[in-house]
């Protein structure tokens, strides 16, 4: 296990430290771990994600679920934040997602445009902002430039910056794919190198190694892979994404291995709100039991 960095070790400004402390120690389990409920999929994937549980198409349903489940925060785009979050301000931390795109165009030259600003996040009472960075995209020059402005604003305004470090683009698909060990490990390191306070990554799959550099072509267990990804993030706190809906035991094992590796926490959306209400809360309780075993300062 990689030791989790304490907030005091992260070189944070006063504003960032205050907001991250509030998220990690005054919400959720209050033990320094994090469990976020993302709800930006309506933009990223469209309404099809709500077919499995139609009530989840209503933002109020998901916000209530986040409160009932004891999450450390909810992630939404600016439109939903402005129209729905005010009812939960002060009760549930907000992560304002600043960029996003539809799934309609090809990901070959992926770029996620901005729709909100760090100033919007301050106005709405957010405790962090989220930015999707497409690691490996041919559009990386524009992506990096856009990200740099967000990072500068977040630093100036004391707002924690969570980077969705997602490998995308034709070159990534030719080198193991977006959730290969190589791609996820590179994405975690990229976020750390570019100044993210927190990085969100997919769980790495070491068996996806066609076309990857030789260092990643050997035999690795999933635990060895996620251990390495956490090491690559260094003093950037790491969250592991739930991804698409999967079976309970597979998701619980992903959570166990992630926390054993030294991740700060989890960010599970579809695997929570695509279930009916009571089943969602039972699943969340099982995940919280895992988080409770890995307190951090």
């Amino acid at each position: 296990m990689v030791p989790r960095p304490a907030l005091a070790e992260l070189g944070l400004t006063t504003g960032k430290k205050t907001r991250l402390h509030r998220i990690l120690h005054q919400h959720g389990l209050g033990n320094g771990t994090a469990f976020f409920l993302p709800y930006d999929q309506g933009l990223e994937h469209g309404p099809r994600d709500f077919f499995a549980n139609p009530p989840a198409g209503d933002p109020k349903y998901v916000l209530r679920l986040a409160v009932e489940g004891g999450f450390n925060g909810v992630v939404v785009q600016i439109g939903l934040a402005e129209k729905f979050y005010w009812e939960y301000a002060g009760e549930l931390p907000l992560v304002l997602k600043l960029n996003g795109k539809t799934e309609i165009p090809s990901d070959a030259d992926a770029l996620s445009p901005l729709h909100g600003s760090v100033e919007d996040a301050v106005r709405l009472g957010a405790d962090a902002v989220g930015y999707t960075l497409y690691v490996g995209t041919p559009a990386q020059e524009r992506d990096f430039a856009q990200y740099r402005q967000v990072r500068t604003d977040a630093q100036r305004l004391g707002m924690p910056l969570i980077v969705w470090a997602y490998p995308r683009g034709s070159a990534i698909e030719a080198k193991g794919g977006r959730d290969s060990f190589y791609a996820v490990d590179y994405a975690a390191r990229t976020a750390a190198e570019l100044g993210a306070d927190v990085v969100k990554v997919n769980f790495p799959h070491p068996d996806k190694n066609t076309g990857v550099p030789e260092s990643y072509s050997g035999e690795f267990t999933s635990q060895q892979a996620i251990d390495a990804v956490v090491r690559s993030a260094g003093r950037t706190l790491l969250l592991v994404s739930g991804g698409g809906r999967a079976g309970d035991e597979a998701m619980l094992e992903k959570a166990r291995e992630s926390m054993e590796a030294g991740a700060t926490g989890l960010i599970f959306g579809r695997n929570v709100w695509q279930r009916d209400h009571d089943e969602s809360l039972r699943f969340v309780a099982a995940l919280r039991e895992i988080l409770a075993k890995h307190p951090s300062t």
Side-chain angles (χ1 to χ4, degrees), residues 7 16-36 70-74 92-96 126-129 159-162 198 237 239 264:
L7 289 183
K16 287 191 176 196
K17 186 177 180 181
T18 299
R19 290 182 170 95
L20 275 178
H21 185 274
R22 188 157 52 224
I23 290 172
L24 298 176
H25 294 283
Q26 296 177 13
H27 292 275
L29 289 168
N31 69 346
T33 62
F35 191 12
F36 291 100
F71 282 82
N72 294 76
V74 67
L92 174 69
L94 168 66
V95 178
L96 183 66
D127 279 314
V129 293
M159 184 66 66
L161 174 56
I162 305 175
V198 185
L237 305 180
L239 304 172
T264 295

Side-chain angles (χ1 to χ4, degrees), residues 273-288:
W273 45 255
Q274 283 186 340
R275 306 162 184 264
D276 68 37
H277 178 269
D278 291 347
E279 185 187 352
S280 292
L281 292 180
R282 284 193 294 270
F283 180 59
V284 166
L287 290 165
R288 282 168 59 90

